[in-house]
Amino acid sequence: MARTSTHIRHAAITVLAWGIALWMFFPILWMVLTGFKSEPDAISTPPHFFFSPTISSYQDVFARENYWHFATNSVVISAMATVVALLVSVPAAYAMAFLPGPRTRMTLLWMLSTRMLPSVGVLVPIYLLARATGLLDSRTGLIVIYMLTNLPITVWMLYTFFREVPVAILEAGRMDGATRWQEVTQVLMPLALPGIASTGLLSLILCWNETFWSLNLTSSIAAPLTTFIASFSSPEGLFFAKLSAASTLAVAPIMVFGWVSQKQLVRGLTFGAVK
């Protein structure tokens, strides 16, 4: 009886997990299917579950001028913002984890509190600063903004991961004559590599999906895919099929990248959870 009850419980949990997963995945599935519909089928009420698939929306997306320019901007801006964020976050998290001061905790809380401020609240000063420094509608401007907005998260995550590394290992490195730079690069970073990788992956995803700043600080030169997708909204209305096709093309690379690296991501997020 106990074994039967356990099997029933496991089956119920499995069914519930699959149900939640399908419920969360349904919007993505609907977006992909809508991208293969014609515009009349995409806006039909009630929605057509059975339709003649077409790739005309994808052809229209690729036919739009400078599609690959937008895609290249997304790749370059997201990757560079993530790299710069890690270059700043690693030494900052190291100092806070292993060389804490009396205000370290308050600094961490202050950094986290900046994420609670609505982006629109600082839009005007940041826009004026970008215009004054010549960074408006430039890749460099978006890289700086993306890096700064994600910096609190990357520092907090790396700080948590670094705290899980035994101090005795670092002390052993110092006894062997390791400099501070060698301690960080040759001792700490290899041990915390799963955490650093998961932090970089999360930062990359956040940068790739960022919409607010790309819409307000770019127009054409440095505009990423999020701006390209927004262009399918016009005074005439929303082109749902083309919008879904463009969104699918924008989401696909980051989904594939996340799927391929999910093992590393889970390993990093659970780093230090099991002693």
Side-chain angles (χ1 to χ4, degrees):
M1 291 293 294
R3 183 176 298 178
T4 302
S5 177
T6 301
H7 288 165
I8 294 175
R9 189 183 305 111
H10 287 171
I13 294 174
T14 302
V15 171
L16 178 62
W18 273 103
I20 294 175
L22 292 174
W23 175 71
M24 296 178 65
F25 182 73
F26 180 77
I28 299 176
L29 176 62
W30 189 260
M31 176 185 68
V32 174
L33 292 178
T34 304
F36 288 99
K37 293 181 179 180
S38 62
E39 288 295 341
D41 286 336
I43 62 175
S44 64
T45 303
H48 292 170
F49 291 97
F50 300 98
F51 57 91
S52 299
T54 176
I55 60 172
S56 60
S57 295
Y58 288 92
Q59 291 174 336
D60 292 339
V61 170
F62 283 115
R64 287 271 307 254
E65 184 180 1
N66 291 335
Y67 167 79
W68 292 109
H69 172 72
F70 291 98
T72 302
N73 283 340
S74 286
V75 173
V76 173
I77 293 171
S78 299
M80 290 303 299
T82 298
V83 171
V84 176
L86 290 178
L87 290 176
V88 176
S89 300
V90 168
Y94 169 82
M96 293 180 179
F98 300 108
L99 303 170
R103 298 182 181 178
T104 296
R105 183 174 179 82
M106 291 302 299
T107 302
L108 286 168
L109 292 176
W110 171 77
M111 293 182 65
L112 191 62
S113 68
T114 60
R115 291 290 299 181
M116 303 176 188
L117 178 68
S119 299
V120 69
V122 293
L123 173 60
V124 173
I126 288 181
Y127 181 89
L128 294 177
L129 284 172
R131 187 178 65 178
T133 55
L135 296 179
L136 201 61
D137 197 16
S138 69
R139 289 178 178 178
T140 303
L142 279 188
I143 289 171
V144 172
I145 292 298
Y146 285 8
M147 183 272 292
L148 292 176
T149 54
N150 290 330
L151 200 59
I153 295 177
T154 55
V155 170
W156 258 94
M157 289 186 65
L158 290 177
Y159 169 78
T160 304
F161 294 138
F162 288 172
R163 286 289 297 253
E164 299 294 335
V165 176
V167 180
I169 297 179
L170 301 182
E171 292 176 346
R174 294 178 203 147
M175 293 179 63
D176 289 339
T179 63
R180 188 75 70 181
W181 172 257
Q182 292 173 330
E183 180 182 324
V184 174
T185 58
Q186 299 182 20
V187 180
L188 178 62
M189 291 183 64
L191 292 174
L193 186 59
I196 296 174
S198 63
T199 302
L201 289 173
L202 180 60
S203 176
L204 182 66
I205 293 171
L206 292 175
C207 292
W208 187 274
N209 294 332
E210 176 60 49
T211 304
F212 179 82
W213 293 114
S214 64
L215 290 177
N216 288 283
L217 298 181
T218 64
S219 57
S220 58
I221 299 176
L225 284 173
T226 48
T227 304
F228 176 76
I229 293 172
S231 67
F232 286 95
S233 174
S234 66
E236 291 79 16
L238 290 174
F239 297 92
F240 285 101
K242 296 180 180 63
L243 182 62
S244 298
S247 300
T248 300
L249 291 173
V251 169
I254 204 67
M255 286 192 64
V256 172
F257 184 74
W259 179 266
V260 171
S261 58
Q262 63 175 326
K263 183 177 181 180
Q264 186 70 18
L265 180 61
V266 172
R267 182 186 173 196
L269 293 176
T270 56
F271 178 74
V274 180
K275 298 294 184 181

